[in-house]
Amino acid sequence: MSSTGQTPDDDIVQISRDGAVAIVTLNYPKRRNAFSLKMRQVLLQSLAQLMHHDDCRAIVLTGADGTFCAGGDISEMKARTVLEYRERNQLPLEIFKLMVEGPKAIVAAVEGVAMGAGVSLAAASDYVVCAANARFACAFVKVGLMPDTGLFWSLGQRVGAGKARELMLTAREFNGEEAADIGFANQRVEPEQVLTTALTVAHRYAQMPPLAMAHLKSALAGGIDSLDQAIETEVNLQPILRRSQDHLEATKAFMEKRPAVFVGN
């Protein structure tokens, strides 16, 4: 595993590489990786850059010192105007949209606590690996707020509307065992296995054809809830992929009984 150095502006978000997989680490341990304004700014910039790097095929999102993210930084929650609040909310929403709609698959590796916005970041990922003893809570209502960072959409996508309503309204804590049981997490493992398991999953994503992965994520984010939407998505996107070099390479590699080499065209 090789480091690519610090992110621009700060090391509150650190990036390292494991081949074609980028590891993005939330690095604010003195506040349990709270989702501060600086972290939002640097995380958005970092993810945007990685989404456009051809040599990055998948991303693992994790937290430093055995903690994922404790949610919003309470020390920054002071009185502001409605306009100021709307402007501050734009950053996490841009991060959410980039995670959900962006061309690269994201695997969340969750240890320790994932509260509030930490739950939102995990839910926006394509795959969640968590420690059995991880702790989650949609804690927004406890501090007089409603869920943000896209959780209204992403939580229901993972656990269904009824369970999402329960978790948001009660703000109760649930552990990694339950997270896997209700479908919030795709896989639960022992704490020492979280990152290595997430990397294994990310490398599987990294082997997929990049263009197909990008179109598939875009289609899923755009919604295929109705029959007409599903048909329209298939009619519009499948012909593009059938003409791609990656599709031609995949069929050729199958016939030649060799691994395919995808380039994203």
Side-chain angles (χ1 to χ4, degrees), residues 221-253:
I224 49 174
D225 298 324
S226 70
L227 176 63
D228 287 341
Q229 281 181 314
I231 291 173
E232 183 179 2
T233 298
E234 182 178 333
V235 168
N236 289 339
L237 297 182
Q238 192 73 310
I240 296 172
L241 293 175
R242 286 192 179 279
R243 289 180 55 84
S244 69
Q245 292 299 313
D246 280 350
H247 172 61
L248 296 176
E249 164 63 9
T251 57
K252 184 178 180 182

Side-chain angles (χ1 to χ4, degrees), residues 58-62 105-109 125-129 197-199 201-202 205:
I59 297 168
V60 169
L61 179 64
T62 190
I106 299 178
V107 180
S125 303
D126 298 291
Y127 195 101
V128 178
V129 178
T197 303
L199 282 168
V201 174
Y205 283 130

